[in-house]
Amino acid sequence: MGLLEDLESLRTAAVAAFASAQNKEALEAVRVEYLGTRGKLKSALGRMGEVSKEQKPVVGKRANELTTELQAAFDAAKARVEASAPAGTVPGSGEGSSLEQLRFERLDKLKKYEEKIGPGAAWGSRFPDRTSGKSITSIGATRKLFPTFRAEENMGDGTKKFGTVVLAARVMLRRDQSKKLIFLTVQDQTGSIQVALWNNLLNEESLALLRDTLDLWDIVGIEGELMYTQKGEPTVWATSARILTKCIAPPPDKHHGIHDKEIRYRHRYLDLISSPESRHAFILRSKTIAGVRRFLDAQGFLEVETPVLQTIPGGAAARPFETKLNALDMRMYMRIATEIGLKKVLVGGLERVYELGRIFRNEGLSPRHNPEFTMIEIYQSYGDLRDMMALMENLISHLAETLTGSTTVMFRGKQVKLGAPWPRLEYTELLKQHAGVSHDDIAGLDAKLREKGIDPSGLSHVDKIDGVFGEYAEPHLQDACFVINQPVEMSPLCKAHPVNPKLADRFEAFASGMEIGNAYTELNDPIEQRKRLVEQANDAAKHAFKQLTDAGLLDYVKVEASDAEWVDKAKKAIEAIPASDKRRAKLAELAKHTHAVDQRVDEDFLNAMEHGMPPAGGLGIGIDRIVMLLASADSIRDIILFPLMRPE
């Protein structure tokens, strides 16, 4: 369906939604859904790039008309809602008391239900009762029990039954046809279905009690017969029904759900209840993780576990979270990668290993970054970069095909091809093509960063290269691809390219302009590894000292950048500044951002390598970003159940 047709469908749905809104809260939810800055209208207009040049004037004109029409529909609905408000009501007032009143009403129904059935009855027990010998059938499985509806065979005449099931589900809609017949829409993890509470099948006493006490979002236990209605709606006609859990908090607006992302992220349970799309995304996430494990296990890889708490954070260049081990009075760090531990396992003789788990990096938040995220690292002894390429493209292609039915997915309104094989693109060529600079042109890199409003002062050479590549080249990497042959200084744990030692035998995998994986032919020479780690630590130290001395913050204690004890002396420099001196706080804050305090040489890792680490290929994949692609989620927060949020 083209954009023009989608706009007409959007108009129909929006006008109906505005017309059905009965109070200001519901009306505001509809406004946000359709006219908000991230609403459906804005999303639709963001697809104008799909429209052919010839059609753009027609579609553009209709889009402008539609904006006016939807605003008019909102204004009319607003006037209607305000006119129907009780006299003397101040717009925006009384919301708290209204919600509290609804809660009291639900508590009264709870009391009435328990007075009739017994104390604690509204909080259920095992369902169905263990002695019944029955078990719950999911709604998804229940729907499959219905044959295809054929009106000519009178399948909805109330005589044709297709089995009996037991359901446990949440009430999402309630429609009272009369005192003798109530229709419910209930949902579980697998879907939703209609339930009928009818006095012909349910005894009068039970029906009357449920009619007076059952609320939206209550969880119910139903046993019933499967029959179609006259209109062909698959329905469970209840023969017994009871409340398993009473919902005493008033739910969000039943028609429009939750559209404030702040609420969705903070109260994910509300999002999961009200949004089928959100439930689907998190089911897809679970299936993705299970699929990764099955794929690797089938190829002989072993899943292992390495420490989350570490004395030296290694395996990546990232700022760690700090904590303290009270028992030993030691400063510890949350891991920023699993690489070092997994390589030690290779030394020990486990030849194909992986770890899938949480990683913690004390850095920024964005639609692609969360300080706590999920990553998998995979290592294969006697392999190299080419093995990791084959492994990754086959794994991601397999996940896409298995979980979405295609190796091409839609992400942010564009198609992304994930099917193997993926193209191999040269890092330095992409840098020249899209930024017009080479990786060793420091002045050129600085200029390109300034064009993007980034101050290059204080950035290391590696950070400058990475920054320019991220700003200029990454946005052009739409379909899945491998970017290969980065400058060797960017990869201290990687072997040099077998032909050009100035390049690293490494790839970064990209899709839709974001990095989704990173792989090396691993460095296993302990002498060269020590040299690189020492250089990395020294470079970090020099970079840190330059920042601190440029800021004039090391006046109290003389510290040389070449001093092996520079970290301790830097701390003494901070302590030597009087607490009343504003520079002390400034120095402490600046020191946090140098990362140099954590750039220590990991002697235990080097000692392990000296015992012989086999040649190996290593691969890291960002699970969250893979799920974003498969679920077509705009933000990493949409596929992390509980993303980090600022406290309310």
Side-chain angles (χ1 to χ4, degrees), residues 137-253:
T137 302
S138 72
I139 289 175
T142 297
R143 283 190 165 276
K144 292 179 180 179
L145 297 175
F146 284 87
T148 301
F149 181 76
R150 293 181 293 277
E152 66 276 8
E153 296 181 13
N154 297 319
M155 294 182 75
D157 64 1
T159 64
K160 295 178 175 61
K161 302 176 183 179
F162 309 107
T164 300
V165 296
V166 176
L167 300 180
R170 189 181 292 271
V171 177
M172 301 306 295
L173 288 174
R174 172 176 166 174
R175 302 176 299 284
D176 290 39
Q177 301 294 100
S178 66
K179 287 187 176 181
K180 298 181 179 181
L181 177 61
I182 300 171
F183 284 113
L184 309 174
T185 298
V186 301
Q187 76 175 24
D188 66 7
Q189 177 179 308
T190 63
S192 62
I193 198 168
Q194 180 169 271
V195 168
L197 307 179
W198 188 30
N199 70 333
N200 278 18
L201 294 175
L202 197 62
N203 69 67
E204 292 278 2
E205 187 177 8
S206 296
L207 179 59
L209 181 61
L210 290 170
R211 185 176 62 242
D212 294 341
T213 60
L214 187 65
D215 281 308
L216 297 185
W217 285 29
D218 285 355
I219 299 174
V220 293
I222 303 286
E223 183 172 355
E225 299 174 344
L226 306 184
M227 293 184 283
Y228 279 108
T229 63
Q230 290 181 346
K231 293 182 179 180
E233 180 69 23
T235 302
V236 179
W237 296 79
T239 54
S240 68
R242 62 187 177 97
I243 296 174
L244 298 179
T245 300
K246 186 70 182 168
C247 175
I248 61 175
D253 177 75

Side-chain angles (χ1 to χ4, degrees), residues 355-412:
E355 181 167 11
L356 195 160
R358 286 298 222 209
I359 301 297
F360 309 87
R361 296 183 181 177
N362 196 358
E363 297 177 338
L365 289 86
S366 79
R368 299 179 183 181
H369 298 89
N370 194 66
E372 177 185 4
F373 61 98
T374 302
M375 182 175 171
I376 185 169
E377 291 198 46
I378 308 163
Y379 291 87
Q380 178 179 333
S381 295
Y382 315 113
D384 68 2
L385 188 73
R386 270 52 63 181
D387 296 292
M388 297 299 101
M389 282 183 174
L391 181 65
M392 180 163 189
E393 63 188 356
N394 289 333
L395 170 60
I396 304 305
S397 298
H398 169 76
L399 291 173
E401 181 70 42
T402 303
L403 300 177
T404 72
S406 173
T407 56
T408 299
V409 298
M410 290 297 296
F411 185 70
R412 295 178 178 168

Side-chain angles (χ1 to χ4, degrees), residues 622-641:
I623 296 296
D624 305 291
R625 293 185 181 180
I626 298 301
V627 178
M628 285 175 65
L629 288 169
L630 299 180
S632 192
D634 285 345
S635 170
I636 195 171
R637 292 186 173 195
D638 292 325
I639 50 84
I640 292 179
L641 273 171

Side-chain angles (χ1 to χ4, degrees), residues 270-305:
L270 299 179
D271 179 36
L272 291 171
I273 292 171
S274 61
S275 170
E277 294 80 10
S278 183
R279 288 198 304 279
H280 171 74
F282 287 103
I283 291 171
L284 182 66
R285 180 189 179 97
S286 293
K287 290 182 177 179
T288 299
I289 291 172
V292 169
R293 285 191 164 108
R294 280 195 299 269
F295 184 90
L296 293 173
D297 292 346
Q299 297 196 36
F301 286 88
L302 298 173
E303 183 172 12
V304 298
E305 295 174 302

Side-chain angles (χ1 to χ4, degrees), residues 35 41 45 61-73:
L35 292 174
L41 181 57
L45 297 182
K61 179 183 178 183
R62 184 61 187 127
N64 291 334
E65 294 172 349
L66 182 57
T67 302
T68 303
E69 290 173 16
L70 293 193
Q71 185 62 47

